[in-house]
Coordinates of all heavy atoms in Angstrom, one line a residue:
R1 N 1.1 48.8 -43.0 CA 1.7 48.6 -44.3 C 3.2 48.3 -44.1 O 3.9 49.1 -43.4 CB 1.5 49.7 -45.3 CG 1.8 49.4 -46.7 CD 1.4 50.5 -47.7 NE -0.1 50.6 -47.6 CZ -0.8 51.4 -48.5 NH1 -0.1 52.1 -49.4 NH2 -2.1 51.5 -48.4
E2 N 3.7 47.3 -44.7 CA 5.1 47.0 -44.5 C 5.9 46.8 -45.9 O 5.3 46.4 -46.9 CB 5.3 45.7 -43.7 CG 4.7 44.4 -44.3 CD 4.9 43.2 -43.5 OE1 5.6 43.2 -42.5 OE2 4.4 42.1 -43.9
L3 N 7.2 47.0 -45.8 CA 8.0 46.8 -47.0 C 8.1 45.3 -47.3 O 8.3 44.5 -46.4 CB 9.4 47.4 -46.8 CG 10.4 47.3 -47.9 CD1 11.3 48.6 -48.0 CD2 11.2 46.1 -47.8
V4 N 8.0 45.0 -48.6 CA 8.3 43.6 -49.1 C 9.6 43.6 -49.8 O 10.5 42.8 -49.5 CB 7.1 43.1 -50.0 CG1 7.5 41.8 -50.6 CG2 5.8 43.1 -49.3
A5 N 9.8 44.4 -50.8 CA 11.0 44.5 -51.6 C 11.1 45.8 -52.3 O 10.1 46.4 -52.7 CB 11.1 43.3 -52.6
T6 N 12.3 46.2 -52.6 CA 12.6 47.4 -53.4 C 13.7 47.2 -54.4 O 14.5 46.3 -54.1 CB 13.0 48.7 -52.5 OG1 14.2 48.4 -51.8 CG2 11.8 49.0 -51.6
I7 N 13.7 48.0 -55.4 CA 14.8 47.9 -56.4 C 15.1 49.3 -56.9 O 14.2 50.1 -57.2 CB 14.5 46.9 -57.6 CG1 15.6 46.8 -58.5 CG2 13.2 47.4 -58.3 CD1 15.5 45.6 -59.5
T8 N 16.4 49.7 -56.8 CA 16.8 51.0 -57.3 C 17.0 51.0 -58.8 O 17.0 50.0 -59.5 CB 18.1 51.4 -56.6 OG1 19.2 50.6 -57.1 CG2 18.0 51.2 -55.0
S9 N 17.3 52.3 -59.3 CA 17.6 52.4 -60.7 C 18.8 51.7 -61.1 O 19.0 51.3 -62.2 CB 17.7 53.9 -61.0 OG 18.7 54.6 -60.3
G10 N 19.8 51.5 -60.1 CA 21.0 50.8 -60.4 C 20.9 49.3 -60.2 O 21.9 48.6 -60.4
G11 N 19.7 48.8 -59.8 CA 19.5 47.4 -59.7 C 19.7 46.8 -58.3 O 19.6 45.6 -58.2
S12 N 20.0 47.6 -57.3 CA 20.2 47.1 -56.0 C 18.8 46.7 -55.4 O 17.9 47.5 -55.6 CB 20.9 48.1 -55.1 OG 22.2 48.4 -55.6
T13 N 18.8 45.6 -54.7 CA 17.5 45.1 -54.2 C 17.6 45.0 -52.7 O 18.7 44.9 -52.1 CB 17.1 43.7 -54.8 OG1 18.2 42.8 -54.5 CG2 16.9 43.8 -56.3
N14 N 16.4 45.1 -52.1 CA 16.3 45.0 -50.6 C 15.0 44.2 -50.4 O 14.0 44.5 -51.0 CB 16.2 46.3 -50.0 CG 16.1 46.2 -48.5 OD1 16.9 45.5 -47.8 ND2 15.2 47.0 -47.9
Y15 N 15.1 43.2 -49.4 CA 13.9 42.4 -49.1 C 13.6 42.3 -47.6 O 14.6 42.4 -46.8 CB 14.1 40.9 -49.6 CG 14.3 40.8 -51.1 CD1 15.6 40.8 -51.7 CD2 13.2 40.6 -51.9 CE1 15.7 40.6 -53.0 CE2 13.3 40.4 -53.2 CZ 14.6 40.4 -53.8 OH 14.7 40.2 -55.2
A16 N 12.4 42.2 -47.3 CA 12.0 41.9 -45.9 C 12.5 40.6 -45.6 O 12.5 39.7 -46.4 CB 10.5 42.0 -45.7
D17 N 12.9 40.4 -44.3 CA 13.4 39.1 -43.9 C 12.4 38.0 -44.1 O 12.8 36.8 -44.4 CB 13.8 39.1 -42.4 CG 15.1 39.9 -42.2 OD1 15.9 40.2 -43.1 OD2 15.3 40.3 -41.0
S18 N 11.2 38.3 -44.0 CA 10.1 37.3 -44.1 C 9.9 36.7 -45.5 O 9.3 35.6 -45.6 CB 8.8 37.8 -43.6 OG 8.4 39.0 -44.4
V19 N 10.5 37.4 -46.5 CA 10.3 36.9 -47.9 C 11.6 36.6 -48.6 O 11.6 36.1 -49.7 CB 9.5 38.0 -48.7 CG1 8.2 38.4 -48.1 CG2 10.4 39.2 -49.0
K20 N 12.7 36.8 -47.9 CA 14.0 36.5 -48.5 C 14.1 35.0 -48.9 O 13.7 34.1 -48.1 CB 15.2 36.8 -47.6 CG 15.5 38.3 -47.5 CD 16.6 38.6 -46.5 CE 16.9 40.0 -46.5 NZ 18.0 40.3 -45.5
G21 N 14.6 34.7 -50.1 CA 14.7 33.4 -50.6 C 13.4 32.9 -51.3 O 13.5 31.8 -51.9
R22 N 12.3 33.6 -51.1 CA 11.1 33.2 -51.7 C 10.6 34.2 -52.8 O 10.0 33.7 -53.8 CB 10.0 33.0 -50.7 CG 10.3 32.0 -49.6 CD 9.1 31.7 -48.7 NE 8.7 32.9 -47.9 CZ 7.5 33.5 -48.0 NH1 6.6 33.0 -48.8 NH2 7.2 34.6 -47.3
F23 N 10.8 35.4 -52.6 CA 10.3 36.5 -53.5 C 11.5 37.1 -54.2 O 12.6 37.2 -53.7 CB 9.6 37.6 -52.7 CG 8.3 37.2 -52.1 CD1 7.9 35.9 -52.0 CD2 7.5 38.2 -51.6 CE1 6.6 35.6 -51.4 CE2 6.3 37.9 -51.0 CZ 5.8 36.6 -50.9
T24 N 11.2 37.5 -55.5 CA 12.2 38.2 -56.3 C 11.6 39.4 -56.9 O 10.6 39.3 -57.6 CB 12.8 37.2 -57.4 OG1 13.4 36.1 -56.7 CG2 13.9 38.0 -58.1
I25 N 12.3 40.6 -56.7 CA 11.8 41.8 -57.4 C 12.7 42.0 -58.6 O 13.9 41.8 -58.5 CB 11.8 43.0 -56.4 CG1 11.2 44.2 -57.1 CG2 13.2 43.3 -56.0 CD1 10.9 45.3 -56.1
S26 N 12.2 42.5 -59.7 CA 12.9 42.8 -60.9 C 12.3 43.9 -61.7 O 11.1 44.1 -61.6 CB 13.1 41.5 -61.7 OG 11.8 41.0 -62.2
R27 N 13.1 44.5 -62.5 CA 12.6 45.5 -63.5 C 12.4 44.8 -64.8 O 13.2 44.0 -65.2 CB 13.5 46.7 -63.6 CG 13.6 47.6 -62.4 CD 14.5 48.8 -62.6 NE 14.5 49.7 -61.4 CZ 13.7 50.7 -61.2 NH1 12.8 51.0 -62.1 NH2 13.8 51.4 -60.1

């Protein structure tokens, strides 16, 4: 199992290199 994307309570996001520019995480 691998990380795809995360988003903190403050709105900071983190993406796996393989999905950057293609995937968007949002609350």
Side-chain angles (χ1 to χ4, degrees):
R1 190 172 299 186
E2 64 177 353
L3 181 147
V4 176
T6 60
I7 184 166
T8 69
S9 60
S12 297
T13 58
N14 182 50
Y15 297 92
D17 288 342
S18 60
V19 307
K20 284 182 178 178
R22 299 189 298 121
F23 292 10
T24 302
I25 188 170
S26 62
R27 289 183 181 268

